[in-house]
Amino acid sequence: MYIVRDVKIEDAKRLLEIYGYYVENTAITFEYDIPSIEEFSGRIQNITKKYPYLVIEEDGEIYGYTYANTFKDRAAYDKSCELTIYLDKDSKKKGYGRALYEALEARLTEMGIENLYACIGDPIEIDQYLNRNSEEFHSHLGFETVGRFHKCGYKFDKWYNMIWMEKLIGSHNL
């Protein structure tokens, strides 16, 4: 049985192991180099000052994480946030992603967040570095594609598009 819980700074090493795979082997992240543990820990500390950062754990092992972050750094965007999720490369199709996002969405709703956004690498042609699984995952959870940037990410000597997906979770009442 798995649990979803708040991140602890001691989780940084395991989360960086999960993330490092995607940096080195995929175009899911457009980051080229794995951050240092200090940099990654700093990211966790900065994000958790304002937003939830959750991990999913089963039998004492972390299999994924998700967090919300600033969508745009202007006051008018404070009811919106960007989401990020990474799962251990060998733990897909186990319900971890859905469990993480449902828990995150519930927390964000409690905070008064109205709009969720996901920035997703989008292959021009599916290849060994990028497929459409993330887009399909988000779509399955109620996100809709609202924008596409063409050839904006360059990794592994290839160009990739990027899409923005949106999910409205609030009532948008004044």
Side-chain angles (χ1 to χ4, degrees):
M1 184 68 181
Y2 61 77
I3 62 164
V4 175
R5 63 167 175 80
D6 288 324
V7 72
K8 300 176 200 164
I9 200 63
E10 302 84 50
D11 298 329
K13 183 175 186 267
R14 174 64 179 134
L15 303 189
L16 188 55
E17 288 171 2
I18 292 169
Y19 181 64
Y21 169 81
Y22 292 96
V23 172
E24 290 184 330
N25 299 288
T26 78
I28 290 171
T29 175
F30 287 168
E31 195 156 14
Y32 280 18
D33 300 311
I34 298 173
S36 68
I37 188 69
E38 295 79 19
E39 181 181 351
F40 198 80
S41 296
R43 292 178 187 182
I44 293 171
Q45 290 171 329
N46 285 334
I47 291 165
T48 57
K49 287 177 186 174
K50 185 173 181 181
Y51 292 104
Y53 198 127
L54 306 174
V55 301
I56 193 158
E57 180 180 295
E58 188 166 11
D59 298 325
E61 180 77 19
I62 294 172
Y63 288 99
Y65 64 96
T66 188
Y67 60 86
N69 206 350
T70 303
F71 171 61
K72 295 292 277 180
D73 192 20
R74 299 289 184 272
Y77 293 113
D78 282 351
K79 296 280 187 191
S80 301
C81 63
E82 182 180 350
L83 307 186
T84 299
I85 186 167
Y86 286 96
L87 298 177
D88 179 276
K89 67 179 177 59
D90 297 320
S91 65
K92 295 180 181 112
K93 305 289 185 193
K94 294 185 178 184
Y96 294 157
R98 174 182 282 279
L100 281 166
Y101 256 23
E102 286 177 352
L104 184 61
E105 185 176 322
R107 295 274 294 276
L108 294 169
T109 299
E110 290 172 8
M111 292 173 59
I113 298 296
E114 306 259 345
N115 307 322
L116 306 179
Y117 295 97
C119 178
I120 299 170
D122 180 52
I124 296 167
E125 292 182 21
I126 293 173
D127 61 24
Q128 71 268 32
Y129 304 112
L130 190 61
N131 55 37
R132 290 197 168 80
N133 287 353
S134 185
E135 178 181 4
E136 292 165 1
F137 166 77
H138 284 84
S139 180
H140 186 68
L141 294 179
F143 285 75
E144 295 181 19
T145 302
V146 293
R148 181 178 315 277
F149 293 77
H150 300 276
K151 297 182 181 179
C152 66
Y154 187 78
K155 190 170 179 179
F156 304 120
D157 298 320
K158 298 182 78 163
W159 284 104
Y160 293 94
N161 295 337
M162 182 269 291
I163 60 172
W164 277 104
M165 296 187 80
E166 171 187 66
K167 182 175 181 181
L168 305 180
I169 62 169
S171 62
H172 295 87
N173 293 330
L174 298 176

